[in-house]
Amino acid sequence: MTAPKELRVSKDRRLLTVTFPGHQPFELPAELLRVASPSAEVQGHSPEQRVTVPGKRKVAILKIEPVGNYAVRITFDDFHDTGIFTWNYLHTLGHEKDARWAAYLAELEEKGLSRDSSSPSSKRHRLE
């Protein structure tokens, strides 16, 4: 995958627009980027270790730094900065945004977690 011709952060710092040559721009919310960070902290070292990250509804992008000519490091306002977003990964996120977002929301629901809080929701689960 070639480098994007443009990476643009919105004024409120909650949306990254990525434009690859020959493609329509992808709009990637900061929350999605944060919860789908390619870092080991989020993805783990195997699928079983992947973490569902709650409480990031209002996360914003602080800065974006180039990593070689193949990726960027995004620093979020919660100071998470260990994910290296390759051009391929950003392209995949752009194409799979809706499916990944739906899967994330389903995981939050299944685990009793919230987009607004990093602690489990106050729902009481009955043993059946």
Side-chain angles (χ1 to χ4, degrees):
M1 175 60 51
T2 60
K5 63 182 186 179
E6 181 179 42
L7 294 172
R8 186 174 7 107
V9 178
S10 63
K11 288 184 183 195
D12 68 1
R13 320 264 330 144
R14 292 191 178 359
L15 187 71
L16 175 66
T17 302
V18 182
T19 307
F20 287 97
H23 293 273
Q24 291 295 317
F26 296 121
E27 291 187 341
L28 300 171
E31 183 180 7
L32 176 63
L33 292 165
R34 174 60 179 89
V35 303
S37 171
S39 69
E41 177 185 333
V42 174
Q43 298 301 324
H45 296 287
S46 69
E48 298 79 32
Q49 293 179 341
R50 191 176 61 74
V51 174
T52 303
V53 181
K56 300 300 175 187
R57 182 188 301 262
K58 295 184 180 183
V59 75
I61 297 167
L62 282 182
K63 66 180 176 178
I64 298 178
E65 301 170 284
V67 176
N69 57 6
Y70 69 95
V72 289
R73 177 186 314 272
I74 301 175
T75 301
F76 297 92
D77 65 356
D78 66 355
F79 302 107
H80 176 77
D81 67 353
T82 57
I84 305 295
F85 291 80
T86 65
W87 306 143
N88 283 339
Y89 189 62
L90 286 172
H91 191 263
T92 298
L93 281 178
H95 279 287
E96 297 177 359
K97 177 175 80 172
D98 293 339
R100 287 183 182 236
W101 185 249
Y104 171 66
L105 294 177
E107 280 181 28
L108 287 175
E109 177 70 23
E110 178 184 311
K111 295 178 179 181
L113 300 171
S114 166
R115 292 175 59 207
D116 296 309
S117 170
S118 59
S119 58
S121 68
S122 59
K123 289 184 195 174
R124 294 193 180 257
H125 297 283
R126 290 187 315 198
L127 296 176
E128 301 189 43

